[in-house]
Amino acid sequence: EVQLVESGGGLVQPGRSLRLSCTASGFTFGDYAMSWVRQAPGKGLEWVGFIRSKAYGGTTEYAASVKGRFTISRDDSKSIAYLQMNSLKTEDTAVYYCTRLGQLWTYFDYWGQGTLVTVSS
Amino acid sequence: DIQMTQSPSSVSASVGDRVTITCRASQGISSWLAWYQQKPGKAPKLLIYAASSLQSGVPSRFSGSGSGTDFTLTISSLQPEDFATYYCQQANSFLFTFGGGTKVEIK
């Protein structure tokens, strides 16, 4: 059974940093691209970014709203994906979901339960 | 960036009704469209990918159609467990965007 478990959320002040982790199980983690999607309280879904598998260079893509501030990385030996968030803003407050990208990297076939990040002074 | 416009933003329906939700892309996206269902306090769940392919385990009352810029999600006979918010999502050039969501409520 595929499982994605996020951790690392919490309350952080504006301008500070936070790192989220996504621990995967139930599939060969290194074979898949992984992505982060967020949802502000009471709002819709917003894609944050994704990381390709090592077979495709392990390169990353980001939404314009987080590019230059957020970094996605992966440790295939531990089956963990990370989201490093720097220079956080109040508008980054959201539930952050870790997702697995499906075939052809065009949809998100599995989602974690999410972790809440609150950016506030 | 490609914008996704869903309509309606909400719909009231009864058990057994046929419900149709539409999603329009601001430019052509071939068939690179997915649909998700989200219940309150839960993560989204994939229903449909590649515009019309049913994800494993999803009931056959859900179906998707369309290509290019106009897409449709249809629930053929609404069940009590289908009351939720539905989102479309496009993938183009490794950038992803979601529609604003459609809340399906009990009439």
Side-chain angles (χ1 to χ4, degrees), chain A residues 35 37 39 43-47 50 52 61-64 97 101 103-114, chain B residues 1 32-34 36 38 41-46 48-50 55 87 89-91 93-100:
Chain A
S35 184
V37 175
Q39 186 170 36
K43 302 296 184 182
L45 301 168
E46 180 187 18
W47 172 70
F50 86 97
R52 297 173 177 84
E61 307 286 347
Y62 299 97
Y97 294 102
L101 271 162
Q103 295 176 358
L104 303 177
W105 305 337
T106 57
Y107 57 89
F108 311 106
D109 60 357
Y110 288 93
W111 297 61
Q113 84 286 354
Chain B
D1 288 6
W32 302 127
L33 186 100
Y36 302 86
Q38 186 179 33
K42 300 294 187 182
K45 172 189 172 183
L46 175 67
I48 302 283
Y49 62 95
Q55 173 70 347
Y87 294 93
Q89 168 254 313
Q90 69 83 27
S93 300
F94 306 123
L95 299 176
F96 305 84
T97 48
F98 291 88

Side-chain angles (χ1 to χ4, degrees), chain A residues 2-45:
Chain A
V2 172
Q3 283 198 313
L4 302 172
V5 179
E6 302 93 339
S7 59
L11 175 64
V12 61
Q13 293 179 326
R16 304 298 291 266
S17 298
L18 198 65
R19 188 177 81 161
L20 306 183
S21 299
C22 169
T23 302
S25 60
F27 64 101
T28 304
F29 180 77
D31 289 348
Y32 287 85
M34 300 298 295
S35 184
W36 291 88
V37 175
R38 68 184 181 182
Q39 186 170 36
K43 302 296 184 182
L45 301 168

